[in-house]
Amino acid sequence: MLGDKPINRLKSRKPPGLTAKNLISTQFCSSKSWNEEWAKEHVTNKNLITRPGQNMEGMLLPRNQWTTINRLRTGQGRCGSLLFKWRYKESAACDCGEVEQTMKHIVQLYPRRLFEQRIEGIHQVTKEAIE
Protein backbone atom coordinates (compact mmCIF):
# COMPACT_ATOMS: atom_id res chain seq x y z
CA MET A 1 0.00 0.00 0.00
CA LEU A 2 2.79 2.45 0.87
CA GLY A 3 4.77 1.50 -2.22
CA ASP A 4 2.01 2.78 -4.55
CA LYS A 5 2.06 6.32 -3.16
CA PRO A 6 3.49 9.01 -5.47
CA ILE A 7 6.52 10.92 -4.23
CA ASN A 8 5.40 14.50 -3.53
CA ARG A 9 8.79 16.07 -3.01
CA LEU A 10 10.14 19.04 -4.90
CA LYS A 11 13.12 18.51 -7.13
CA SER A 12 16.35 19.71 -5.50
CA ARG A 13 17.71 22.99 -6.82
CA LYS A 14 21.23 21.93 -5.95
CA PRO A 15 21.51 18.18 -6.50
CA PRO A 16 24.69 16.69 -4.98
CA GLY A 17 25.74 15.16 -8.30
CA LEU A 18 25.69 18.51 -10.06
CA THR A 19 27.60 20.14 -7.21
CA ALA A 20 30.22 17.37 -7.37
CA LYS A 21 30.63 17.82 -11.13
CA ASN A 22 31.12 21.57 -10.66
CA LEU A 23 33.73 21.02 -7.94
CA ILE A 24 35.62 18.52 -10.09
CA SER A 25 35.53 20.71 -13.20
CA THR A 26 36.85 23.76 -11.29
CA GLN A 27 39.52 21.62 -9.55
CA PHE A 28 38.28 22.77 -6.15
CA CYS A 29 40.74 22.31 -3.28
CA SER A 30 39.18 22.70 0.16
CA SER A 31 42.44 23.40 2.01
CA LYS A 32 43.45 26.08 -0.50
CA SER A 33 40.01 27.68 -0.29
CA TRP A 34 40.07 27.54 3.52
CA ASN A 35 43.53 29.15 3.68
CA GLU A 36 42.41 31.93 1.31
CA GLU A 37 39.39 32.64 3.51
CA TRP A 38 41.59 32.62 6.64
CA ALA A 39 43.97 35.14 5.02
CA LYS A 40 41.06 37.53 4.39
CA GLU A 41 39.60 37.36 7.92
CA HIS A 42 40.36 39.90 10.65
CA VAL A 43 40.61 37.86 13.85
CA THR A 44 41.87 38.87 17.30
CA ASN A 45 45.45 37.62 17.81
CA LYS A 46 45.52 36.17 14.28
CA ASN A 47 49.29 36.70 14.16
CA LEU A 48 49.69 33.93 16.76
CA ILE A 49 48.31 31.26 14.40
CA THR A 50 51.07 30.17 12.04
CA ARG A 51 49.49 26.88 10.93
CA PRO A 52 45.72 27.44 10.79
CA GLY A 53 44.93 23.87 9.73
CA GLN A 54 46.95 22.25 12.54
CA ASN A 55 46.07 21.60 16.18
CA MET A 56 47.01 24.36 18.58
CA GLU A 57 49.59 24.01 21.34
CA GLY A 58 48.10 22.68 24.55
CA MET A 59 45.36 20.56 22.95
CA LEU A 60 46.09 17.79 25.47
CA LEU A 61 45.68 20.00 28.55
CA PRO A 62 42.87 19.20 31.01
CA ARG A 63 39.61 20.91 30.03
CA ASN A 64 39.69 23.61 32.73
CA GLN A 65 43.23 24.70 31.78
CA TRP A 66 42.40 24.57 28.04
CA THR A 67 39.34 26.77 28.60
CA THR A 68 41.34 29.32 30.58
CA ILE A 69 44.10 29.48 27.95
CA ASN A 70 41.55 29.93 25.16
CA ARG A 71 39.76 32.69 27.04
CA LEU A 72 43.05 34.55 27.25
CA ARG A 73 43.88 33.83 23.59
CA THR A 74 40.55 35.11 22.30
CA GLY A 75 40.10 37.95 24.80
CA GLN A 76 36.67 36.66 25.84
CA GLY A 77 37.23 35.79 29.50
CA ARG A 78 35.70 37.13 32.69
CA CYS A 79 37.03 40.66 32.70
CA GLY A 80 35.47 43.92 33.82
CA SER A 81 34.69 45.05 30.29
CA LEU A 82 32.66 41.95 29.37
CA LEU A 83 31.03 41.61 32.80
CA PHE A 84 29.87 45.23 32.45
CA LYS A 85 28.62 44.54 28.92
CA TRP A 86 26.64 41.53 30.19
CA ARG A 87 25.31 43.66 33.11
CA TYR A 88 27.01 41.68 35.88
CA LYS A 89 29.07 44.69 36.98
CA GLU A 90 28.28 48.35 37.48
CA SER A 91 31.47 49.53 35.73
CA ALA A 92 34.05 48.28 33.22
CA ALA A 93 36.87 49.86 35.23
CA CYS A 94 39.78 47.87 36.64
CA ASP A 95 40.71 47.93 40.33
CA CYS A 96 44.14 49.34 39.38
CA GLY A 97 42.48 52.53 38.08
CA GLU A 98 42.39 51.70 34.34
CA VAL A 99 39.17 52.90 32.67
CA GLU A 100 38.42 49.53 31.05
CA GLN A 101 39.55 46.10 32.24
CA THR A 102 39.98 43.93 29.13
CA MET A 103 41.71 40.56 28.82
CA LYS A 104 44.60 42.32 27.06
CA HIS A 105 44.89 44.71 30.01
CA ILE A 106 44.94 41.81 32.49
CA VAL A 107 47.60 39.86 30.58
CA GLN A 108 49.85 42.67 29.37
CA LEU A 109 49.37 45.77 31.53
CA TYR A 110 47.82 44.92 34.91
CA PRO A 111 50.56 45.57 37.49
CA ARG A 112 49.47 42.85 39.94
CA ARG A 113 49.16 40.10 37.33
CA LEU A 114 51.67 41.16 34.70
CA PHE A 115 52.73 38.09 32.73
CA GLU A 116 56.19 38.72 31.34
CA GLN A 117 55.78 36.36 28.37
CA ARG A 118 52.66 38.24 27.29
CA ILE A 119 50.05 36.72 24.95
CA GLU A 120 52.74 34.86 22.96
CA GLY A 121 53.72 32.81 26.04
CA ILE A 122 50.09 32.02 26.72
CA HIS A 123 49.59 30.92 23.13
CA GLN A 124 52.64 28.63 23.27
CA VAL A 125 51.26 27.20 26.55
CA THR A 126 54.47 27.55 28.50
CA LYS A 127 54.69 26.12 32.02
CA GLU A 128 54.53 29.64 33.46
CA ALA A 129 51.36 30.40 31.50
CA ILE A 130 49.60 27.35 32.90
CA GLU A 131 50.58 28.23 36.46
Side-chain angles (χ1 to χ4, degrees):
M1 183 172 160
L2 292 176
D4 297 335
K5 290 248 180 203
I7 298 174
N8 293 330
R9 287 192 282 159
L10 295 173
K11 187 174 181 181
S12 174
R13 293 182 185 176
K14 290 189 176 183
L18 184 60
T19 302
K21 284 180 186 177
N22 289 339
L23 292 174
I24 291 168
S25 68
T26 60
Q27 297 179 343
F28 178 77
C29 177
S30 61
S31 62
K32 181 180 175 187
S33 175
W34 190 91
N35 283 320
E36 288 170 358
E37 287 295 321
W38 174 255
K40 292 179 199 173
E41 291 297 320
H42 299 286
V43 179
T44 302
N45 295 328
K46 181 179 176 180
N47 60 320
L48 298 174
I49 313 271
T50 56
R51 301 167 295 153
Q54 303 295 319
N55 286 341
M56 295 174 66
E57 297 289 330
M59 288 286 290
L60 301 177
L61 288 174
R63 186 177 188 278
N64 62 342
Q65 289 177 346
W66 174 247
T67 303
T68 302
I69 293 289
N70 276 342
R71 284 183 181 159
L72 293 170
R73 283 177 174 159
T74 60
Q76 297 298 312
R78 292 181 188 156
C79 59
S81 171
L82 291 176
L83 292 173
F84 175 69
K85 178 181 176 182
W86 299 327
R87 297 187 180 134
Y88 285 110
K89 262 183 96 174
E90 296 294 320
S91 164
C94 183
D95 57 353
C96 73
E98 185 72 22
V99 175
E100 187 175 28
Q101 183 191 50
T102 61
M103 294 304 287
K104 181 178 180 179
H105 169 72
I106 292 170
V107 173
Q108 297 180 356
L109 305 171
Y110 189 56
R112 290 177 44 201
R113 292 192 183 112
L114 181 63
F115 183 61
E116 306 233 349
Q117 296 177 6
R118 307 183 76 130
I119 192 68
E120 291 80 9
I122 291 169
H123 180 73
Q124 294 170 357
V125 193
T126 62
K127 183 180 177 183
E128 294 82 14
I130 294 171
E131 294 172 354

